[in-house]
């Protein structure tokens, strides 16, 4: 009949959908049985009705009992099973972990759809899936129709807590819409070991390129944890060079912890959760006798695996020498000046320190209306630029340079003065000054004869008399 397919028999044969079974000789009162097996179609839903008929070689006085019909109801039965796999084992605390759940239908009937549920273990948080949803810690995944022998996989991702240390154990269960003859394979459990991995880093900077002997520098040292795992008991170390005498303080952020303050070298155990940081501020006095360079390295370490150890140390290097903030200003006298007159430019050079300025020089470009007359310690090149040697200048001291010039061209013009030194100047914005001078024509008084002098005297006398009368009135 439709809905079944002949499968096998040791007694019968089948051709064209008709099963034929040979029965041996039977004595009166004797019986014989034959059997054959059919496979019900996997899509069959209607009940089966099957009729068998026996035919004898001899005359049968009662043919009414030569046929028998058997009815069989048909139901769906699916043997579903589930397998579970994790994407990484061990997984670092704080990292993502993806579970793959594979459902297989061993039949005999098609599965019209099943549901996978997974109650998440403590220590993880659902983070996403294109196949599943999550509510209150239970992940639910819908599985489509599965023909006998077919499989389908679903995935979801969780994030392991950054502070997790215990191994994870996660169980998923599949439930069929049809009868499942073997429920023992409907659940699968996956265990995942949890390790720790943290990208620790440290930076160090004192904000200067030159350290001054006898002065101080302040280092800012920051140790941080980019995760994915929390770190308890990280070690921050900084052995300061002998040229430094240091005191330090520490501040924590992002849930980190550290000691409040200390003196001398830094060797502190700190807690660094993910995104946490500790900041050390070390105020260090530089020995007056220090020379050469000042090199200082800070490190951070822990027992946790660090995927990028290249940023676990930081070094700050400063050259050791003086700093001298030179400042220049000038005064032009007289100003304005007659053409051909003498002009004195008084230049003041102030050293604001903190160190002595060595080999101070003054470079002068005169206003175009002036010509260098005489200046002690200055040398003028063919282009008119004069360079004056000032020598060393102590901190908080002033040096003066007097430049004698003569007005040789009328008009208003501007020159430039620039001070420099072999010592590093931390602020070069005040190293320049721009003196300006106005040169005019000389006033010539013509010679007067005797009459002219007498007339001039009379005029002055009358003018004075008039002023006296005005005052008395």
């Amino acid at each position: 009949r439709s809905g079944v397919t002949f499968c096998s028999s040791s007694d019968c044969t089948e051709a064209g959908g008709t099963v034929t079974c040979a029965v041996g000789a039977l004595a009166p009162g004797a019986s014989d049985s034959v059997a054959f097996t059919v496979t019900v179609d996997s899509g069959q839903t209607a009940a089966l009705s099957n009729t068998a008929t026996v035919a004898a070689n001899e005359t049968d006085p009662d043919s009414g009992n030569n046929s028998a019909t058997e009815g069989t109801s048909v139901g769906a039965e699916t043997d579903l099973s589930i397998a579970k796999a994790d994407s990484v084992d061990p997984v670092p605390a704080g990292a993502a972990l993806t579970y793959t759940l594979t459902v297989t239908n061993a039949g005999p009937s098609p599965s019209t759809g099943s549901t996978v549920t997974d109650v998440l273990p403590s220590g993880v948080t659902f983070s996403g899936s294109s196949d599943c949803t999550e509510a209150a810690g239970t992940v639910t995944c819908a599985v489509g129709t599965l023909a006998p022998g077919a499989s389908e996989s679903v995935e979801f991702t969780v994030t392991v807590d950054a502070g997790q240390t215990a191994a994870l154990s996660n169980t998923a269960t599949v439930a069929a819409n049809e009868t499942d003859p073997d429920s023992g394979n409907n659940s699968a459990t996956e265990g995942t070991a949890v390790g720790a991995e943290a990208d620790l880093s440290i930076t160090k900077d004192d904000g200067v390129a030159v350290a001054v002997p006898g002065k101080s520098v302040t280092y800012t040292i920051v140790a941080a944890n980019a995760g994915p795992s929390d770190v308890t008991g990280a070690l921050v170390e900084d052995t300061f060079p002998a040229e430094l005498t240091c005191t330090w303080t520490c501040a924590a952020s992002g849930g980190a912890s550290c000691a409040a303050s200390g003196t001398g070298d830094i060797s502190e155990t700190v807690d660094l959760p993910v995104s946490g940081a500790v900041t050390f501020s070390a105020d260090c006095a530089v020995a007056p006798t220090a020379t050469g360079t000042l090199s200082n390295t800070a490190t951070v370490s822990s027992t946790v695996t660090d995927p990028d150890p290249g940023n676990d140390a930081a070094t700050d290097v400063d050259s050791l020498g003086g700093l001298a903030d030179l400042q220049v200003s000038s005064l032009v006298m007289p100003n304005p000046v007659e053409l051909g007159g003498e002009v004195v430019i008084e230049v003041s050079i102030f050293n604001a320190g903190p160190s002595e300025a060595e080999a101070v020089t003054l470079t002068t470009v005169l206003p175009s209306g002036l010509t260098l007359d005489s200046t002690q310690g200055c040398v003028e090149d063919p282009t008119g630029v004069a360079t004056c040697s000032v020598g060393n200048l102590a901190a908080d001291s002033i040096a003066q340079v007097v430049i004698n010039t003569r007005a040789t061209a009328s008009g208003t013009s501007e020159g430039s003065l620039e001070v420099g030194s072999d010592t590093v100047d931390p602020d070069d914005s005040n190293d320049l000054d721009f003196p300006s001078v106005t040169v005019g024509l000389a006033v010539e008084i013509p010679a007067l004869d005797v009459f002219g002098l007498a007339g001039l005297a009379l005029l002055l006398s009358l003018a004075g008399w008039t002023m006296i009368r005005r005052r008395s009135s």
Side-chain angles (χ1 to χ4, degrees):
R1 305 187 44 88
S2 62
V4 300
T5 303
F6 180 82
C7 182
S8 64
S9 174
S10 60
D11 306 310
C12 311
T13 59
E14 182 269 342
T18 298
V19 178
T20 303
C21 310
V23 179
L26 292 176
S31 298
D32 193 5
S33 297
V34 293
F36 65 90
T37 301
V38 297
T39 299
V40 181
D41 294 348
S42 61
Q44 181 70 17
T45 57
L48 301 175
S49 179
N50 183 238
T51 301
T53 302
V54 64
N57 293 332
E58 294 77 23
T59 300
D60 189 329
D62 182 8
S63 60
N65 58 3
N66 287 12
S67 294
T69 299
E70 180 67 26
T72 306
S73 61
V74 177
E77 186 175 279
T78 56
D79 180 13
L80 296 185
S81 62
I82 188 170
K84 184 169 189 177
D86 52 13
S87 59
V88 58
D89 190 355
V91 61
L97 175 64
T98 298
Y99 288 110
T100 301
L101 313 176
T102 302
V103 177
T104 301
N105 179 16
S109 303
S111 168
T112 58
S114 59
T115 300
V116 173
T117 57
D118 191 317
V119 179
L120 296 178
S122 61
V124 302
T125 303
F126 181 83
S127 56
S129 172
S130 59
D131 306 309
C132 311
T133 59
E134 182 267 344
T138 297
V139 178
T140 302
C141 314
V143 179
T145 300
L146 290 177
S151 298
E152 183 174 345
S153 295
V154 293
E155 290 185 347
F156 65 89
T157 300
V158 298
T159 300
V160 182
D161 293 351
Q164 179 73 14
T165 56
L168 303 173
S169 180
N170 186 225
T171 299
T173 301
V174 62
N177 294 330
E178 295 76 28
T179 300
D180 191 326
D182 180 9
S183 61
N185 56 6
N186 288 12
S187 294
T189 299
E190 182 70 19
T192 308
V194 177
E197 182 177 286
D199 180 14
L200 300 182
S201 64
I202 195 166
T203 59
K204 179 170 187 174
D205 187 23
D206 63 2
V208 298
V210 178
V212 180
K215 302 296 181 177
S216 64
V217 293
T218 299
Y219 292 103
T220 300
I221 304 161
V222 181
N225 179 11
S229 305
D230 293 339
V231 174
T232 300
L235 181 62
V236 177
E237 294 181 290
D238 193 329
T239 301
F240 295 106
E243 296 90 343
L244 297 179
T245 302
C246 302
T247 60
W248 53 266
T249 59
C250 179
S253 61
S257 66
C258 65
S261 61
T263 60
D265 297 336
I266 297 173
S267 181
E268 291 298 308
T269 299
V270 301
D271 292 337
L272 286 173
V274 176
S275 300
V278 293
T279 301
F280 292 85
S281 180
D283 188 18
C284 301
V286 184
T289 57
T291 58
T293 59
L294 193 62
S295 180
N296 187 213
T297 300
T299 62
V300 62
S301 61
S302 78
T303 58
V304 174
T305 300
D306 192 328
D308 181 15
N311 55 8
D312 293 353
T315 301
D316 183 274
V317 179
D318 298 329
S319 61
L320 282 167
L323 291 176
D325 180 15
L326 295 179
Q327 303 168 12
V328 64
S329 60
S330 63
L331 179 64
V332 179
M333 299 179 299
N335 192 9
V337 62
E338 295 178 351
L339 184 66
E342 293 184 356
V343 179
V344 176
I345 302 175
E346 291 187 355
V347 183
S348 296
I349 302 170
F350 176 61
N351 178 11
S355 305
E356 181 182 49
E358 298 180 354
V360 178
T361 58
L362 177 69
T363 302
T364 304
V365 177
L366 295 177
S368 59
L370 302 181
T371 300
L372 186 66
D373 206 355
S374 65
T375 302
Q376 186 175 3
C378 299
V379 177
E380 186 178 20
D381 67 15
T383 65
V385 177
T387 302
C388 309
S389 177
V390 180
N392 296 347
L393 184 60
D396 300 321
S397 297
I398 297 176
Q400 289 190 323
V401 178
V402 178
I403 303 175
N404 297 312
T405 68
R406 187 170 298 279
T408 56
S410 60
T412 299
S413 60
E414 185 179 78
S416 68
L417 300 169
E418 183 174 8
V419 66
S421 169
D422 288 349
T423 305
V424 175
D425 191 329
D427 180 11
D428 58 6
S429 65
N430 49 18
D431 293 353
L432 284 168
D433 188 46
F434 301 95
S436 177
V437 66
T438 299
V439 179
L441 296 175
V443 178
E444 296 183 3
I445 301 176
L448 298 177
D449 55 20
V450 174
F451 177 79
L453 290 174
L456 178 59
L458 178 60
L459 288 175
L460 292 175
S461 174
L462 290 174
W465 173 252
T466 302
M467 291 296 294
I468 293 172
R469 290 192 62 189
R470 284 181 179 176
R471 290 176 181 174
S472 62
S473 62

